Amino acid sequence: MKRRELFSSLASPFKKEEDREDIIRPPYFNDELDFIKSCVTCEDKGCITVCEENIIVAREDGTVELNFAQNGCTYCDECAVACKEGVLNIEYKKNINLKFSIDLLKCMSWNQTMCFSCKDPCMSDAIKFLGMFRPEINNDICTSCGFCVRVCPADAISMELI
């Protein structure tokens, strides 16, 4: 990483709220600014290699983020254990800062087609159906693991950082 890129990446948390891109971080850090400072200096990125779900990916700015395109997070703690910089730490374990919602116009179940694709992988049982149709996500019990995202055949589940 070049010097200019390093300083640009460190300054990125100071962007205006509307200019920030949505970056989903692993669920084991305490402070975003500390995360960026420490993660940028890590050359090993052991968190990526130990993730059994392959959802931790490297970013151009030298940090890592979660990508739910292939799988979800099992909260297995392995990335925190592998983090040599200490930015990911089991003592900071929390749910991923996301709120999930279902687009009623895209969702097959909301449009009279039986589909339980999102409910089946939900380990927290946060997706409830009214009878056979009309699923809703209870964000009070949702762990934000992201397993429901990739399995939705209609791409009807969206995420919002909270």
Side-chain angles (χ1 to χ4, degrees):
M1 174 179 284
K2 293 182 180 138
R3 186 180 205 172
R4 182 179 302 247
E5 292 170 334
L6 172 65
F7 290 116
S8 295
S9 69
L10 293 176
S12 64
F14 302 107
K15 292 180 181 178
K16 291 183 218 167
E17 192 65 37
E18 63 270 7
D19 293 338
R20 285 190 189 166
E21 59 182 306
D22 290 343
I23 302 170
I24 306 166
R25 301 292 189 192
Y28 299 95
F29 74 98
N30 189 34
D31 178 71
E32 178 75 12
L33 187 55
D34 289 340
F35 178 90
I36 292 169
K37 286 178 187 176
S38 297
C39 193
V40 163
T41 61
C42 176
E43 293 182 17
D44 178 46
K45 299 288 189 265
C47 59
I48 294 173
T49 57
V50 299
C51 180
E52 292 179 5
E53 302 299 330
N54 296 315
I55 62 168
I56 302 177
V57 295
R59 292 177 39 84
E60 287 182 21
D61 67 0
T63 64
V64 297
E65 70 179 331
L66 299 182
N67 182 334
F68 294 136
Q70 299 301 314
N71 254 332
C73 181
T74 61
Y75 296 92
C76 68
D77 304 338
E78 294 300 320
C79 60
V81 171
C83 181
K84 290 186 170 91
E85 297 295 319
V87 67
L88 298 179
N89 192 315
I90 294 173
E91 74 179 65
Y92 302 134
K93 186 176 186 173
K94 61 185 177 267
N95 284 348
I96 299 165
N97 295 334
L98 290 173
K99 177 183 175 188
F100 289 85
S101 59
I102 298 174
D103 184 329
L104 307 183
L105 297 175
K106 289 182 179 179
C107 178
M108 293 168 57
S109 285
W110 273 91
N111 291 285
Q112 285 67 49
T113 302
M114 250 193 283
C115 177
F116 295 97
S117 295
C118 60
K119 183 176 178 49
D120 292 339
C122 184
M123 293 180 271
S124 62
D125 202 28
I127 302 174
K128 300 290 184 192
F129 281 71
L130 180 62
M132 303 289 273
F133 302 101
R134 299 185 0 201
E136 290 185 355
I137 299 174
N138 181 342
N139 281 294
D140 292 334
I141 60 173
C142 177
T143 62
S144 303
C145 68
F147 278 104
C148 60
V149 174
R150 121 182 130 78
V151 296
C152 178
D155 195 29
I157 299 177
S158 61
M159 304 172 284
E160 177 186 343
L161 281 177
I162 52 172

